[in-house]
């Protein structure tokens, strides 16, 4: 079977432990989850892997599961995919391709420095930008239009 | 075209003298080599009764051979190295008729084919040319230039209104320029020297300032208009180039290097911008200025104006000479840039190979060498143009000196006012300025025209014929393929495939086996219609492949290459390359069937992961499986597999094998097979040797010791076991 049937899937967890998957009656402890399209269809295509990193299956729209399982999946995604969202750009400088941004994100204020602006900035879709800093950390601007005027003016120079 | 080639009149006379009076020429084909193997003019002529070879020696045409057509039993084109030879058999003996370079190869092939046809049928007197014909006029460069100009206009036509407006604004700024010298004359003659009019001073200065201000404003407006228009035109030209590059025949890419093409897109397309923005408006503005200033100068003082004209012929003559002189250097410069781009492109694309072989230094030296050539070519231009321009400027200044001398005398004798002399000088600067500008532009022309012509050369290259006339629609190919006497060669008359006959039933899998160079890949290229068969036919569901709409044909062919090419973009982008509307579920399904899903899911961004240039961030086995997923989603009716020769690890190999098995189900499949398992799975195997089919049958049938197939398999398994041991 290509995709898992939501009625066969249930998740449980104890605090601070990786979740357990109950798949058609079989229990898999310490599973982890990955998304098929973490950037373009977040929270929609979720795959389960067992303790040995063996693929167990993929479920479309985990919202169809019971509330507890949906919650666990959401938490797990939040735990695995750390991608702060930029809410404000305070300043920006570009020294021959090497760039520095001072930003405010939903996870706090951060200075982002990038080695190569051209390669570090990806426009995922119109007005949606992904920045990767020189250490490989990632930051997202979900919608340029939602930024304040000053931030918008700064980022528009680059896109 | 050989059949329409005209006979030079001097050759006509020779023919008249040497051949019977009633002789008529059926057709002729000019070639480019003399009997001695020097470049020169030769000609193959077919008359009513003879095959004649003529060659030009020191401006005189000589007949080298004249063979009665009825004595010829065999004609042959023999490929040499760097040239070809045309030989005929006359009364059982071979006679070497003619040698020619590859430049004449296509025409000669056509001519010889016509000749074969002619000898094979009854001789008729139709289709002949009279002997006396004026030589076809040379390709006139003026006509070519005119054509280029016409093409340039086509690019500009959609924007003609804004261009006209911009040019009008530019011209009006020149008109404003006429004012300041006139005001200066009034200032010097009437205001500064006449105490009664001292009060006019603020007014005149205000007028001067006003005219300057208006001039500045107009210059800004026209500059901005032209700049926007220019970028738009460069954009249009690049778009057109990029569109055409996708449609061009593969043959074109066989002869072009990517670096050269990149240079064209980046630099040459910009030349159209230069033409319309910098060149055309300048020429119009400056020409009008020259005409306007000439009238003003003559109006002010006709004697002085005449003196001013003295250096003009010298300036024009020198400019024309300089232009011709510099054209050559610009050509070299653009060549060296193209080679430079090629080398750099090559070196960067192959950087891994360079590093593995520790050839960084040699590569650097090589690139340095190309860079030096660019440097020399550029230096050649700049040294020359920087020498020539000051000399021209000196010639121009002679006019000014004459005005000082004779104008000065007139002022001393009170024949002219000082103000007028000053105004005359100011107008003179405005007269010589444009003349110098115009002559300076003379050395833009060659560079620009070369670049523009090259841009059009790409745009005009023949595109593939996507919808042949009377195209047959085949919305769903069943998959019955017939090869009938298929012959093909990349170079005319050097066949790579010879007389191939085979019928493949829908859903059948054919394994292609043979040494490298046996013609396996060529056969596949013919099936994809990257090339057309030279002789014979390929039929799909009973229809000649050349009559099927190309878009429809290729949309139903799937191709998994030996080393699959992935585009930079995400895994998703690559899997749905042939089927843009595919849903994410379908993409995952295809990946699962291609055994790609698991590894994709383990990539940090899953299907959203960027694969890098050419898929470089994935391993060879991963690239293979993404390519198989791409083919599965494309859902082709005919599948072509080119198995990689390099061995992958056993597990990956097994996964790919499984994936391929799923992909082949229900599709007519051609596989260039290297793996024994594929050979065993094939319904039939076609063994090719030197382009000819030697064996056809199943793996079991062909596994007999004396067979070619057996030999190949044995060789292969021996090699594999050695690799295994290592």
């Amino acid at each position: 079977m290509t995709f898992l049937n939501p009625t066969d899937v249930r998740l449980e967890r104890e605090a601070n432990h990786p979740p357990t998957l109950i798949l058609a009656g079989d229990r898999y402890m310490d599973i982890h989850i990955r998304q098929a399209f973490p950037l373009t269809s977040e929270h929609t295509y979720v795959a389960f892997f067992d303790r040995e990193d063996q693929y167990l299956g993929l479920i479309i729209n985990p919202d169809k599961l019971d509330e507890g399982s949906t919650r666990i999946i959401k938490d797990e995604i939040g735990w695995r995919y750390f991608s702060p969202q930029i809410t404000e750009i305070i300043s920006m400088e570009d020294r021959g391709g090497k760039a520095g941004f001072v930003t405010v994100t939903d996870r706090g204020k951060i200075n982002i420095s990038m080695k190569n602006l051209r390669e570090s900035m990806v426009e995922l879709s119109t007005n949606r930008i992904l920045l990767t800093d020189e250490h490989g950390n990632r930051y997202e601007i979900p919608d340029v239009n939602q930024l304040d005027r000053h931030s918008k003016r700064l980022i528009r120079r680059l896109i | 075209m050989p059949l329409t080639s005209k006979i030079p009149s001097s050759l006509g006379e020779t023919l008249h003298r040497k051949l019977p009076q009633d002789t008529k020429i059926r057709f002729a084909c000019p070639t480019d080599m003399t009997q001695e193997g020097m470049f020169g003019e030769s000609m193959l002529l077919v008359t009513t009764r003879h095959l004649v070879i003529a060659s030009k020696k020191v401006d005189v045409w000589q007949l080298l051979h004249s063979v009665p057509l009825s004595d010829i039993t065999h004609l042959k084109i023999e490929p040499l190295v760097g040239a070809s030879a045309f030989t005929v058999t006359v009364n059982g003996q071979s006679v070497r008729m003619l040698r020619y370079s590859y430049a004449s190869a296509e025409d000669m092939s056509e001519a010889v084919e016509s000749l074969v046809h002619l000898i094979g049928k009854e001789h008729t007197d139709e289709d002949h040319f009279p002997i006396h014909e004026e030589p076809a006029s040379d390709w006139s460069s003026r006509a070519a230039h005119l054509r280029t100009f016409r093409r340039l206009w086509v690019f500009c036509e959609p924007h003609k209104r804004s261009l006209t407006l911009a040019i009008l604004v530019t011209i009006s700024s020149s008109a404003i320029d006429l004012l300041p010298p006139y005001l200066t004359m009034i200032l010097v003659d009437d205001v500064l020297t006449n105490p009664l009019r001292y009060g006019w001073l603020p007014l005149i200065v205000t007028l001067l300032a006003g005219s300057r201000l208006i001039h500045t404003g107009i210059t800004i407006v026209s500059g901005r208009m032209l700049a926007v228009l220019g970028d738009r035109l460069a954009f249009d030209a690049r778009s057109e180039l990029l569109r055409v590059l996708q449609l061009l025949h593969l043959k074109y890419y066989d002869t072009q290097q990517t670096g050269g093409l990149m240079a064209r897109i980046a630099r040459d397309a910009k030349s159209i911008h230069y033409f319309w923005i910098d060149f055309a408006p300048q020429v119009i503005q400056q020409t009008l200025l020259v005409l306007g200033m000439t009238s003003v100068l003559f109006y002010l003082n006709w004697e002085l104006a005449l003196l001013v004209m003295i250096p003009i012929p010298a300036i024009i003559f020198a400019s024309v000479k300089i232009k011709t002189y510099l054209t050559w250097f610009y050509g070299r410069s653009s060549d060296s840039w193209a080679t430079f781009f090629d080398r750099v492109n090559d070196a960067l694309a192959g950087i891994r190979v360079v590093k593995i072989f520790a050839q960084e230094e040699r590569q650097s030296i090589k690139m340095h060498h190309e860079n030096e050539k660019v440097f020399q070519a550029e230096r050649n231009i700049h040294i020359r143009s920087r020498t020539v321009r000051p000399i021209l400027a000196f010639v121009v200044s002679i006019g000014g000196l004459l005005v000082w001398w004779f104008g000065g005398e007139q002022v001393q004798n009170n024949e002219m006012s000082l103000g007028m002399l000053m105004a005359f000088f100011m107008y003179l600067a405005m007269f010589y300025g444009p003349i110098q500008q115009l002559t300076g532009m003379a050395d833009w022309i060659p560079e620009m025209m070369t670049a523009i012509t090259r841009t059009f050369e790409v745009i005009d290259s023949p595109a593939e014929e996507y919808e042949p006339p009377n195209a047959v629609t085949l919305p769903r190919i069943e998959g019955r393929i017939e090869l009938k006497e298929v012959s093909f060669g990349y170079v005319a008359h050097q066949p790579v495939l010879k007389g191939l006959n085979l019928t493949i039933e829908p859903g059948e899998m054919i394994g292609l086996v043979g040494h490298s160079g046996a013609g396996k890949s060529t056969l596949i290229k013919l099936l994809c219609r990257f090339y057309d068969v030279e002789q014979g036919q390929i039929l799909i569901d009973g229809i000649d492949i050349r009559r099927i709409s190309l878009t429809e044909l290729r949309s139903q062919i799937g191709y998994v290459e030996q080393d699959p090419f992935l585009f930079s973009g995400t895994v998703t982008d690559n899997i749905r390359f042939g089927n843009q509307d595919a849903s994410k579920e379908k993409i995952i399904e295809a990946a699962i069937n291609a055994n790609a899903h698991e590894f994709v899911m383990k990539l940090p961004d899953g299907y959203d992961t960027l694969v890098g240039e050419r898929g470089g961030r994935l391993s060879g086995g991963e690239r293979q499986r993404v390519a198989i997923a791409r083919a599965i989603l494309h859902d082709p009716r005919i599948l072509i597999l080119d198995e990689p020769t390099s061995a992958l690890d056993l597990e990956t190999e097994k996964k790919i094998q499984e994936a391929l098995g799923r992909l082949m189900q229900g599709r007519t499949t051609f596989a260039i097979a290297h793996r024994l398992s594929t050979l065993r799975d094939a319904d039939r195997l076609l063994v090719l040797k030197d382009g000819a089919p030697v064996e056809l049958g199943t793996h079991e049938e062909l596994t007999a010791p004396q067979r070619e197939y057996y030999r190949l398999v044995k060789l292969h398994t021996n090699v594999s076991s050695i690799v295994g041991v290592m």
Side-chain angles (χ1 to χ4, degrees):
Chain A
M1 196 172 61
T2 315
F3 304 111
L4 297 176
N5 191 339
T7 52
D8 294 341
V9 179
R10 201 158 59 80
L11 285 109
E12 291 173 356
R13 86 176 319 158
E14 279 173 46
N16 297 325
H17 283 283
T20 300
L21 171 74
I22 298 121
L23 185 61
D26 295 328
R27 288 180 77 85
Y28 298 91
M29 305 262 289
D30 298 347
I31 60 132
H32 52 269
I33 63 172
R34 291 189 176 103
Q35 299 191 80
F37 301 95
L39 302 174
T40 54
S41 295
E42 241 183 317
H43 297 281
T44 315
Y45 299 84
V46 178
F48 304 105
F49 289 80
D50 71 6
R51 197 185 272 176
E52 265 75 51
D53 211 16
Q54 290 296 310
Y55 175 74
L56 296 171
L58 182 142
I59 184 166
I60 305 173
N61 281 328
D63 291 351
K64 288 183 198 154
L65 301 178
D66 64 277
E67 213 175 303
S69 303
T70 311
R71 176 86 257 146
I72 294 173
I73 290 179
K74 259 202 184 114
D75 291 348
E76 280 299 293
I77 289 175
W79 190 78
R80 173 174 282 273
Y81 297 91
F82 182 80
S83 175
Q85 303 204 337
I86 295 172
T87 50
E88 190 189 343
I89 301 167
I90 297 167
S91 69
M92 193 174 88
E93 58 175 41
D94 179 5
R95 275 166 273 128
K98 199 176 149 107
F101 288 23
V102 178
T103 66
V104 179
T105 71
D106 58 347
R107 314 267 182 143
K109 196 176 161 186
I110 183 88
N111 294 355
I112 306 173
S113 56
M114 284 168 285
K115 264 192 210 150
N116 180 333
L117 201 52
R118 190 173 75 94
E119 280 166 21
S120 309
M121 237 178 84
V122 182
E123 237 184 303
L124 293 172
S125 56
T126 323
N127 290 322
R128 187 172 168 211
I129 293 164
L130 188 75
L131 299 171
T132 309
D133 74 5
E134 55 186 349
H135 311 291
N137 298 319
R138 305 210 294 194
Y139 309 88
E140 201 191 324
I141 305 176
D143 185 355
V144 171
N145 286 330
Q146 297 301 315
L147 294 175
D148 60 284
R149 260 182 69 181
H150 174 69
S151 311
K152 230 189 305 193
R153 197 168 52 82
L154 289 176
I155 202 76
R156 286 256 183 256
R157 279 194 219 155
L158 302 176
I159 55 175
Chain B
M1 289 290 293
L3 299 184
T4 55
S5 287
K6 305 276 166 52
I7 316 290
S9 51
S10 54
L11 173 57
E13 284 158 22
T14 316
L15 289 172
H16 254 307
R17 277 202 310 277
K18 305 267 180 168
L19 295 176
Q21 278 305 307
D22 61 337
T23 300
K24 284 177 177 158
I25 309 282
R26 287 169 189 274
F27 57 82
C29 176
T31 68
D32 55 2
M33 226 186 250
T34 65
Q35 203 181 17
E36 294 79 27
M38 306 292 286
F39 282 113
E41 287 179 69
S42 288
M43 178 101 48
L44 173 149
L45 299 138
V46 177
T47 71
T48 18
R49 282 185 289 274
H50 288 82
L51 165 66
V52 179
I53 304 293
S55 190
K56 198 173 178 182
K57 223 176 191 179
V58 206
D59 289 338
V60 180
W61 282 93
Q62 296 182 340
L63 299 194
L64 303 178
H65 300 281
S66 173
V67 184
L69 293 177
S70 53
D71 292 352
I72 299 176
T73 51
H74 189 67
L75 300 145
K76 193 173 128 196
I77 286 180
E78 193 184 345
L80 309 172
V81 181
S84 301
F86 169 49
T87 318
V88 297
T89 312
V90 183
N91 301 329
Q93 258 198 327
S94 279
V95 184
R96 286 184 169 170
M97 305 296 279
L98 194 63
R99 253 193 308 173
Y100 51 91
S101 82
Y102 292 151
S104 303
E106 217 179 310
D107 286 350
M108 271 299 288
S109 297
E110 220 176 298
V112 172
E113 234 160 70
S114 310
L115 188 57
V116 170
H117 191 61
L118 188 68
I119 292 172
K121 67 167 190 176
E122 281 292 311
H123 297 183
T124 62
D125 280 341
E126 290 165 10
D127 308 330
H128 60 73
F129 285 95
I131 282 182
H132 274 298
E133 275 285 357
E134 281 310 306
S137 66
D138 282 332
W139 190 244
S140 141
S141 64
R142 187 170 300 170
H145 270 327
L146 265 179
R147 241 202 352 240
T148 308
F149 278 123
R150 218 172 296 142
R151 297 292 305 275
L152 274 169
W153 175 243
V154 172
F155 262 94
C156 196
E157 210 164 3
H159 314 289
K160 61 183 171 199
R161 284 177 67 173
S162 36
L163 180 74
T164 317
L165 194 64
I167 290 177
L168 283 177
V169 174
T170 313
I171 292 168
S172 64
S173 83
S174 312
I176 304 269
D177 277 351
L178 290 176
L179 211 54
Y182 190 75
L183 291 172
T184 311
M185 186 171 83
I186 297 173
L187 195 67
V188 174
D189 288 348
D190 295 336
V191 181
L192 298 181
T193 49
N194 185 349
L196 288 176
R197 289 186 180 157
Y198 280 178
W200 286 23
L201 185 62
L203 176 70
I204 299 286
V205 174
T206 312
L207 280 175
L208 273 171
S211 66
R212 281 273 156 249
L213 210 62
I214 294 171
H215 180 262
T216 309
I218 290 179
T219 309
I220 292 172
V221 171
S222 72
R224 288 178 69 134
M225 283 171 84
L226 284 171
V228 171
L229 196 60
D231 291 332
R232 163 61 55 178
L233 285 170
F235 167 79
D236 287 352
R238 275 197 307 271
S239 300
E240 181 65 8
L241 262 181
L242 292 170
R243 191 185 68 81
V244 168
L245 284 173
Q246 290 292 315
L247 303 181
L248 287 181
H249 210 282
L250 264 194
K251 266 184 199 164
Y252 183 83
Y253 290 95
D254 290 346
T255 53
Q256 298 283 332
Q257 284 196 304
T258 357
L261 284 174
M262 306 246 283
R264 282 182 193 197
I265 296 166
R267 296 173 64 233
D268 291 352
K270 201 140 193 203
S271 52
I272 292 178
H273 160 146
Y274 284 133
F275 179 84
W276 282 117
I277 298 322
D278 296 327
F279 186 75
Q282 286 278 343
V283 168
I284 296 174
Q285 189 195 15
Q286 307 297 348
T287 311
L288 284 176
L289 262 177
V290 168
L291 293 177
M293 290 304 145
T294 313
S295 343
V296 172
L297 290 174
F298 272 95
Y299 171 76
L300 286 178
N301 189 327
W302 68 269
E303 289 158 317
L304 282 186
L306 271 180
L307 289 175
V308 165
M309 300 297 153
I310 289 175
I312 302 294
I315 295 172
I316 292 172
F317 176 76
S319 310
V320 173
K321 283 280 163 217
I322 292 163
K323 181 196 141 193
T324 341
Y325 177 59
L326 288 179
T327 306
W328 192 86
F329 290 100
Y330 278 114
R332 300 295 70 69
S333 152
S334 124
D335 287 351
S336 62
W337 272 111
T339 321
F340 178 75
F341 274 116
D342 274 344
R343 289 278 176 281
V344 174
N345 194 26
D346 229 28
L348 297 184
I351 189 76
R352 282 170 194 82
V353 185
V354 173
K355 286 193 177 293
I356 288 293
F357 286 88
Q359 294 297 312
E360 292 92 334
E361 204 175 319
R362 201 173 64 95
Q363 259 332 62
S364 289
I365 294 172
K366 239 169 127 179
M367 283 196 281
H368 176 80
H369 185 63
E370 291 308 327
N371 192 14
E372 206 166 78
K373 279 190 190 158
V374 170
F375 160 70
Q376 278 168 1
E378 293 281 292
R379 190 188 54 184
N380 279 339
I381 293 172
H382 294 137
I383 284 186
R384 283 167 179 81
S385 64
R386 295 298 143 105
T387 312
V388 166
R389 281 205 206 123
I391 297 176
L392 257 183
F394 173 74
V395 176
V396 168
S397 69
I398 293 172
L401 296 174
L402 291 173
V403 172
W404 270 126
W405 190 339
F406 292 99
E409 267 184 3
Q410 286 185 355
V411 173
Q412 284 173 348
N413 301 337
N414 282 332
E415 288 163 17
M416 184 168 61
S417 70
L418 181 62
M420 188 179 266
L421 183 66
M422 282 181 73
F424 200 90
F425 262 109
M426 286 171 85
Y427 284 126
L428 189 61
M430 287 161 70
F431 172 72
Y432 280 141
I435 290 222
Q436 269 183 298
Q437 281 262 7
L438 284 173
T439 54
M441 275 180 205
D443 57 41
W444 289 12
I445 297 174
E447 188 188 12
M448 210 168 48
M449 290 317 269
T450 320
I452 291 172
T453 312
R454 264 198 318 258
T455 309
F456 285 134
E457 214 174 86
V458 179
I459 292 177
D460 292 342
S461 304
E464 287 189 285
E465 195 180 26
Y466 281 81
E467 296 293 332
N470 311 321
V472 180
T473 51
L474 259 184
R476 189 183 152 85
I477 289 175
E478 284 309 314
R480 186 185 159 85
I481 300 172
E482 293 159 81
L483 308 175
K484 288 187 174 168
E485 289 296 327
V486 169
S487 292
F488 173 79
Y490 295 96
V491 180
H493 294 273
Q494 292 183 31
V496 179
L497 285 177
K498 301 165 202 159
L500 212 54
N501 281 304
L502 185 65
T503 303
I504 302 121
E505 295 303 328
E508 202 181 355
M509 180 194 171
I510 297 290
L512 298 174
V513 192
H515 282 294
S516 60
K520 305 182 298 277
S521 306
T522 307
L523 176 58
I524 276 169
K525 283 180 189 157
L526 293 181
L527 283 169
C528 298
R529 245 199 102 200
F530 290 147
Y531 297 91
D532 276 332
V533 293
E534 214 162 66
Q535 278 167 29
Q537 265 185 312
I538 296 178
L539 304 173
I540 294 181
D541 293 350
I543 298 162
D544 191 308
I545 197 170
R546 285 167 290 197
R547 287 181 55 212
I548 304 173
S549 137
L550 202 54
T551 324
E552 221 162 51
L553 172 74
R554 292 203 188 137
S555 68
Q556 296 184 69
I557 293 183
Y559 187 17
V560 180
E561 302 155 272
Q562 212 170 50
D563 182 15
F565 186 96
L566 300 190
F567 292 91
S568 57
T570 62
V571 175
T572 310
D573 296 338
N574 275 289
I575 295 181
R576 73 162 154 220
F577 190 73
N579 187 354
Q580 292 294 322
D581 304 325
S583 66
K584 286 182 168 158
E585 283 80 357
K586 290 277 175 208
I587 290 169
I588 296 177
E589 259 179 51
I592 290 176
N593 283 322
N595 277 347
H597 179 61
E598 276 195 54
F599 92 78
V600 173
M601 282 308 300
K602 287 183 182 172
L603 298 170
D605 289 331
Y607 288 85
D608 290 332
T609 305
L610 294 168
V611 297
E613 203 177 331
R614 290 171 176 253
R617 288 185 204 155
L618 302 182
S619 74
E622 290 171 344
R623 274 204 300 276
Q624 275 280 338
R625 282 177 280 168
V626 171
I628 294 172
R630 174 167 73 184
I632 290 176
L633 197 61
H634 184 48
D635 193 19
R637 299 299 309 144
I638 298 170
L639 178 67
I640 289 163
L641 285 178
D642 195 349
E643 282 190 345
T645 40
S646 57
L648 296 159
D649 64 274
L650 277 179
E651 203 186 324
T652 315
E653 186 83 45
K654 197 173 140 255
K655 284 190 170 156
I656 290 178
Q657 208 55 242
E658 276 173 16
L660 287 177
R662 286 188 209 118
L663 175 60
M664 286 186 288
Q665 268 167 24
R667 311 178 206 270
T668 308
T669 305
F670 283 84
I672 297 186
H674 301 293
R675 296 189 183 95
L676 206 58
S677 55
T678 319
L679 296 174
R680 282 207 193 98
D681 289 346
D683 295 315
R684 280 186 295 166
L685 296 161
L686 174 66
V687 185
L688 290 170
K689 194 178 180 187
D690 298 329
V694 285
E695 285 165 14
L696 179 70
T698 64
H699 175 69
E700 284 72 28
E701 283 166 12
L702 297 182
T703 322
Q706 67 277 22
R707 286 184 173 268
E708 172 74 12
Y709 176 70
Y710 176 81
R711 234 173 39 74
L712 282 167
V713 170
K714 199 157 185 299
L715 195 71
H716 179 73
T717 40
N718 281 345
V719 173
S720 302
S721 63
I722 294 168
V723 173
V725 170
M726 282 164 75

